[in-house]
Amino acid sequence: MSYLGVYDRTIFYNPTSKYCVISVKTSDQSIPQQARSAYKHRDHLIRFVAVGYELPRTDKVSMLLDGEWQDGKHGYQLQVANCEEIVPQTKDGVQGYLSSRLIKGVGEKTAELIVGRFGADALKVLENEPERLLEIRGITPGKLEDIKTSYAESRCLRDLMLLLSPFQITPATATKIYDHFGAKSVDILRSNPYKLCQVSGFGFKRVDAIVRKGDTPMNSPMRIHGAIYAALDAQRSENGHLYLGTDTLRKTVLQLLNNKLPLPDMRVTPGEIENVLEDMILQGEVVSSSGNIYQLPCFTREDETARQIARLISEPPQYFDVVSALEHIRSSMGMPLSQRQSEAVYMAFRHNLSIVTGPPGTGKTTILRAIIKVFKHLFPESKIMLAAPTGRASRRMVESTGVEAKTLHSLLGLVGEDMEYGKEHRKEPLDAGLIIIDETSMVDMWLARQFFCRVEPGTKVVLVGDVDQLQSVGAGDVFREMIDCGIIPVTILDEIFRQKEGSMIARNAKRINEDNTGLDFQYDMENGEFVFVKVKNQEEAADDICHLFCELVNRHGIEHVQILSPFRSEGPASSEQLNRTIREIVNPIQGDMPDLKVGGNYFRLNDKVMQNKNNGKASNGDIGFIRKINRDENNELKITIAFSESRIVEYGLEEMQHMELAYATTIHKAMGSEYDIVILPVIRNHMRMLQRNLVYTAVTRAREKVVLVGQKWVLFQAIHKIADKRNTMLGERICKYAKAFSKQQELKNAS
């Protein structure tokens, strides 16, 4: 049902997703009684709440809102499915609309000039002949582009929401679709809805179920095209594969297309798939390489990364007297190094690119300090850059080396964690003589390409990490492929130096890594370092974890204890459910202060929280505590979060959408972090996620104590289970390009 109304005020607006909650005033008597505001107003109009996407927040236009009433925590609200702006077709009406700031680049003065030139037809000009706006004084070509983009985006996003209403998409997803296809999103999806499969998060089955309600043939080329793209994208996002073999792809696509088709004559044949695949290869939508099929962006990233790495290692390195410099550092600063550690330092200066890998406690930090001191001794005027994939890892580099370190995104000047295809900005080369990257196992192919394309010739690059940890969250297996290719110098550390500090954790981690289940367990919660608590099932595990968490927090402090779960949301021992349960114990609601609702999350004063997306104030994975919730002089909510004693940040309500509770977190989220005490469930319900590198990663996050809660046979099976190898040819490509560069150098020398 539709309702005519006018904007009254904004209750909530998210500038990123364009999601808004507004109060609407109307004289429409059909508004349900339970939806009407209880407050009386002088204009005697009815007020109700409308929730939707990019709803007009100006009283210069009327709105025709179409949607359904829903009863929720905040009462009856109109969930808007479609909004039509009704602009009075008069000069005053059009000028009021244009001056409402709904369109970027058009303020009151510009609106007055536009209406003065085009009169009541100004919106028709904007819609059909926007270039004519250049006739207006002050509108430059650049400003015109802003106006066109803003106008097209606001109209397109609302049209998208209407077009895709059968898919039950969220505003954030609509934004993602718009970012992918641009202003032509609606036209593209009307002609071929299967192109939604190109957007992350849209599985083929979801799209296919909607489209098949129409009259699209089962063997339609556009349906087959969507299935091919979806199969490749699912393997990239879910399993980290950069490609699929042709036979595997064909079988996967056949299963997608013929799933639940009862009649043989309805089914798609392998030949029909082959025809569409060949056409996609010819059109450059996918790449065929050695019988493997890549999405074009995946192939480009892998190929260019390999080329840049090969270029780096093929350049003849400059000779330095490292032995004398290192001896000087040893004698003057009393820095003891083992033979293996010394070799790693020599390697860093004798090659343009080198790798140091080993588990915690094997002396990687000592090597870094030695490399930095030798470099400063040899080149006191040259610049050093240190970076890591996460903010926490970069701060640990600062603490351990005394040198400034950044996140890789910050070092490269990137504005997001996963910029969309085709928008990877080339920036200035990295101006440094030495670059050290820590926690390199977390670097995926996308980020590796961004980094290696920016390394200047002659720069020394040292990559540090633990190759036995979890693979990167994004696609590829960059660190392992670089180590296994055999032409990049690698120092493998396996001698444990931290005997006093977590020795049992280090020893057991080494055994886990070696497929050895002969672990040393302890059962003394107060004094043990590697403690096992036996439980029968997941419910009992969750209860014990909550009890142990509170016990350890009382003894050591909440900032020192972290629960790591293999699962995010499934079952009572998942991180989300543990968070909700534990929060009610350690931070129950007090007095009359209500929970702060942001999206689907609820926050309280003193909650332990985690940032889940990089921004200018915190990095993905940073953990802090909410210390204040109050309103500023403009009556806007402000939330003060302490990430440490010296790092206290103020957040607005919109920024809190990238925050979540952090009493418990997933093991994947903990990559690059260290905690004094780790509690880890190892239960039967988590078997499909548990494997050796997951357990190893969780155990090695702890500095002082690991508490495992579950069944030992589950732990042992996980240790025996090896993660599947990811489909990537980075190592082979590095070798191929290095060989080609070497041959070029030989020909150059010969001439």
Side-chain angles (χ1 to χ4, degrees):
M1 190 170 179
S2 298
Y3 303 92
L4 184 65
V6 177
Y7 168 83
D8 178 44
R9 64 186 178 89
T10 299
I11 299 170
F12 173 77
Y13 176 65
N14 185 322
T16 303
S17 68
K18 316 297 188 199
Y19 181 77
C20 54
V21 182
I22 64 173
S23 171
V24 179
K25 53 187 177 183
T26 180
S27 59
D28 190 339
Q29 295 298 319
S30 68
I31 302 296
Q33 287 294 330
Q34 58 267 48
R36 301 183 185 190
S37 169
Y39 295 100
K40 302 298 181 183
H41 298 271
R42 291 181 180 178
D43 56 16
H44 303 295
L45 294 176
I46 298 166
R47 262 70 170 179
F48 67 90
V49 175
V51 178
Y53 184 76
E54 193 73 308
L55 301 177
R57 289 173 293 115
T58 174
D59 58 6
K60 303 298 183 182
V61 299
S62 297
M63 296 177 281
L64 188 62
L65 303 173
D66 187 17
E68 294 183 1
W69 296 103
Q70 292 187 9
D71 189 14
K73 182 178 179 181
H74 300 289
Y76 257 74
Q77 298 177 335
L78 183 66
Q79 302 290 325
V80 178
N82 185 39
C83 173
E84 182 181 343
E85 295 168 2
I86 302 174
V87 182
Q89 297 304 302
T90 63
K91 283 188 176 183
D92 289 343
V94 173
Q95 184 171 326
Y97 172 74
L98 290 174
S99 62
S100 64
R101 298 287 181 182
L102 287 175
I103 302 172
K104 182 181 177 183
V106 179
E108 290 185 13
K109 181 134 181 106
T110 304
E112 183 180 345
L113 292 171
I114 292 173
V115 173
R117 176 71 179 83
F118 301 112
D121 291 331
L123 289 183
K124 293 178 182 176
V125 172
L126 181 57
E127 182 82 39
N128 303 311
E129 303 174 276
E131 286 73 21
R132 291 190 61 190
L133 294 181
L134 292 173
E135 300 171 17
I136 305 299
R137 179 169 45 86
I139 297 184
T140 63
K143 191 172 183 179
L144 175 62
E145 284 305 309
D146 286 342
I147 293 171
K148 286 165 61 178
T149 300
S150 176
Y151 184 73
E153 181 177 343
S154 63
R155 310 288 279 193
C156 181
L157 287 172
R158 283 200 295 276
D159 290 344
L160 260 180
M161 291 295 291
L162 179 63
L163 176 67
L164 300 175
S165 57
F167 295 91
Q168 298 179 331
I169 70 166
T170 64
T173 305
T175 303
K176 189 187 293 185
I177 294 168
Y178 180 84
D179 288 344
H180 188 93
F181 295 115
K184 295 182 179 179
S185 298
V186 173
D187 293 337
I188 289 170
L189 296 181
R190 276 182 179 147
S191 64
N192 184 358
Y194 284 100
K195 288 199 172 181
L196 270 177
C197 297
Q198 298 179 21
V199 181
S200 178
F202 267 92
F204 176 79
K205 292 180 181 178
R206 182 183 180 188
V207 177
D208 196 42
I210 302 295
V211 179
R212 280 171 56 183
K213 291 178 181 177
D215 55 1
T216 302
M218 295 300 99
N219 63 348
S220 162
M222 78 172 184
R223 183 170 181 260
I224 298 171
H225 181 287
I228 290 172
Y229 204 98
L232 291 170
D233 198 64
Q235 291 297 324
R236 176 190 61 82
S237 60
E238 295 171 14
N239 299 316
H241 296 315
L242 293 176
Y243 67 80
L244 283 181
T246 305
D247 290 341
T248 303
L249 176 62
R250 191 183 296 114
K251 290 175 184 176
T252 305
V253 172
L254 271 172
Q255 289 175 350
L256 277 175
L257 293 169
N258 293 331
N259 183 42
K260 296 182 180 179
L261 291 183
L263 301 177
D265 59 349
M266 294 174 63
R267 292 175 187 162
V268 180
T269 66
E272 290 170 323
I273 293 173
E274 195 64 41
N275 290 337
V276 174
L277 180 58
E278 285 180 9
D279 186 61
M280 291 176 73
I281 293 169
L282 289 173
Q283 296 296 324
E285 294 181 82
V286 296
V287 176
S288 177
S289 175
S290 304
N292 302 316
I293 307 298
Y294 289 79
Q295 291 175 302
L296 178 59
C298 290
F299 177 82
T300 302
R301 290 166 188 171
E302 182 183 77
D303 193 68
E304 191 169 345
T305 302
R307 187 191 300 269
Q308 296 300 335
I309 291 172
R311 173 188 60 79
L312 188 63
I313 63 179
S314 299
E315 291 167 358
Q318 189 177 349
Y319 174 77
F320 307 109
D321 185 5
V322 185
V323 176
S324 299
L326 184 57
E327 285 304 317
H328 171 76
I329 297 299
R330 277 172 165 164
S331 59
S332 63
M333 309 199 76
M335 182 177 283
L337 294 173
S338 69
Q339 182 177 347
R340 186 73 59 88
Q341 289 174 317
S342 298
E343 289 170 1
V345 177
Y346 296 146
M347 198 175 287
F349 289 92
R350 290 172 180 165
H351 302 273
N352 295 327
L353 174 64
S354 62
I355 293 173
V356 179
T357 183
T362 52
K364 295 192 294 292
T365 299
T366 301
I367 292 171
L368 293 193
R369 285 202 295 259
I371 291 172
I372 290 168
K373 290 184 183 299
V374 169
F375 187 85
K376 285 182 174 180
H377 178 76
L378 292 171
F379 312 101
E381 301 300 318
S382 191
K383 192 173 181 180
I384 299 173
M385 288 182 175
L386 270 59
T390 68
R392 291 161 296 170
S394 65
R395 283 190 289 277
R396 284 209 318 273
M397 291 185 82
V398 176
E399 293 166 2
S400 60
T401 65
V403 178
E404 180 191 6
K406 298 181 177 181
T407 64
L408 256 176
H409 281 79
S410 177
L411 183 77
L412 298 169
L414 300 172
V415 297
E417 294 186 350
D418 190 11
M419 296 164 69
E420 296 295 330
Y421 297 151
K423 295 183 181 179
E424 295 160 318
H425 303 297
R426 291 286 178 270
K427 300 209 175 183
E428 293 299 316
L430 296 171
D431 178 24
L434 171 67
I435 302 176
I436 300 176
I437 307 298
D438 199 5
E439 297 288 355
T440 313
S441 63
M442 298 176 65
V443 175
D444 62 13
M445 192 63 72
W446 180 85
L447 193 54
R449 179 197 184 191
Q450 300 292 330
F451 171 69
F452 282 108
C453 286
R454 303 271 297 281
V455 175
E456 285 253 65
T459 302
K460 298 291 181 189
V461 177
V462 181
L463 305 180
V464 185
D466 186 348
V467 73
D468 297 308
Q469 284 187 32
L470 280 170
Q471 297 154 308
S472 59
V473 175
D477 199 359
V478 176
F479 197 49
R480 189 183 304 277
E481 284 281 297
M482 291 178 68
I483 291 171
D484 291 347
C485 76
I487 61 173
I488 300 172
V490 179
T491 300
I492 300 175
L493 305 173
D494 53 12
E495 182 183 354
I496 297 172
F497 293 98
R498 290 196 320 212
Q499 289 299 323
K500 184 177 180 181
E501 191 184 323
S503 59
M504 183 172 285
I505 294 173
R507 287 200 305 271
N508 279 336
K510 190 171 186 292
R511 288 170 185 165
I512 290 169
N513 212 19
E514 294 169 347
D515 192 17
N516 180 355
T517 56
L519 308 180
D520 293 327
F521 295 108
Q522 296 167 307
Y523 303 92
D524 180 354
M525 186 60 61
E526 187 169 350
N527 301 308
E529 291 179 5
F530 204 86
V531 181
F532 197 94
V533 178
K534 184 179 178 181
V535 296
K536 295 177 181 177
N537 52 49
Q538 181 168 203
E539 290 71 22
E540 189 178 327
D543 289 342
D544 278 18
I545 288 169
C546 293
H547 173 76
L548 291 167
F549 181 85
C550 294
E551 179 184 327
L552 290 167
V553 163
N554 288 335
R555 193 178 302 152
H556 302 279
I558 197 167
E559 67 275 15
H560 298 291
V561 186
Q562 187 62 48
I563 301 167
L564 303 181
S565 176
F567 274 92
R568 180 179 179 85
S569 58
E570 289 185 32
S574 65
S575 63
E576 286 186 352
Q577 295 201 39
L578 285 170
N579 269 323
R580 287 194 288 268
T581 304
I582 287 172
R583 197 259 296 273
E584 297 306 319
I585 300 171
V586 301
N587 190 28
I589 194 164
Q590 297 179 9
D592 58 355
M593 179 174 284
D595 287 350
L596 176 67
K597 185 179 186 298
V598 183
N601 292 323
Y602 294 85
F603 299 104
R604 292 176 191 161
L605 190 66
N606 296 320
D607 266 340
K608 185 178 183 181
V609 292
M610 175 187 285
Q611 180 79 20
N612 60 28
K613 189 174 183 179
N614 290 340
N615 65 17
K617 297 179 179 179
S619 300
N620 186 355
D622 280 357
I623 290 178
F625 293 86
I626 296 176
R627 295 307 184 202
K628 289 181 185 176
I629 301 176
N630 52 23
R631 293 187 179 274
D632 63 10
E633 62 275 9
N634 297 318
N635 202 34
E636 293 185 0
L637 272 171
K638 296 296 178 183
I639 300 93
T640 303
I641 299 176
F643 291 102
S644 67
E645 289 184 6
S646 59
R647 201 159 66 94
I648 299 173
V649 181
E650 190 174 73
Y651 275 55
L653 194 61
E654 308 82 39
E655 295 168 306
M656 288 297 292
Q657 66 177 315
H658 299 306
M659 198 66 70
E660 60 190 54
L661 294 177
Y663 303 100
T665 186
T666 62
I667 297 170
H668 281 85
K669 270 290 186 185
M671 289 174 67
S673 299
E674 285 186 354
Y675 313 99
D676 291 332
I677 301 169
V678 164
I679 303 174
L680 171 67
V682 282
I683 53 177
R684 183 175 183 174
N685 306 72
H686 293 172
M687 274 300 297
R688 66 185 170 93
M689 279 291 290
L690 287 169
Q691 55 196 24
R692 185 185 304 164
N693 61 354
L694 192 84
V695 175
Y696 173 82
T697 301
V699 166
T700 54
R701 298 311 88 203
R703 286 187 286 254
E704 298 176 6
K705 186 194 294 285
V706 172
V707 181
L708 299 108
V709 180
Q711 300 102 33
K712 283 185 182 176
W713 68 268
V714 172
L715 174 63
F716 295 158
Q717 283 198 28
I719 292 171
H720 293 317
K721 185 179 174 184
I722 303 173
D724 294 334
K725 189 179 185 301
R726 292 182 171 183
N727 291 347
T728 167
M729 298 177 67
L730 178 66
E732 292 180 37
R733 293 189 192 283
I734 292 171
C735 293
K736 181 187 77 171
Y737 283 123
K739 189 175 181 180
F741 286 139
S742 178
K743 194 169 235 181
Q744 286 177 8
Q745 191 64 42
E746 287 175 13
L747 292 172
K748 186 178 178 181
N749 293 337
S751 63

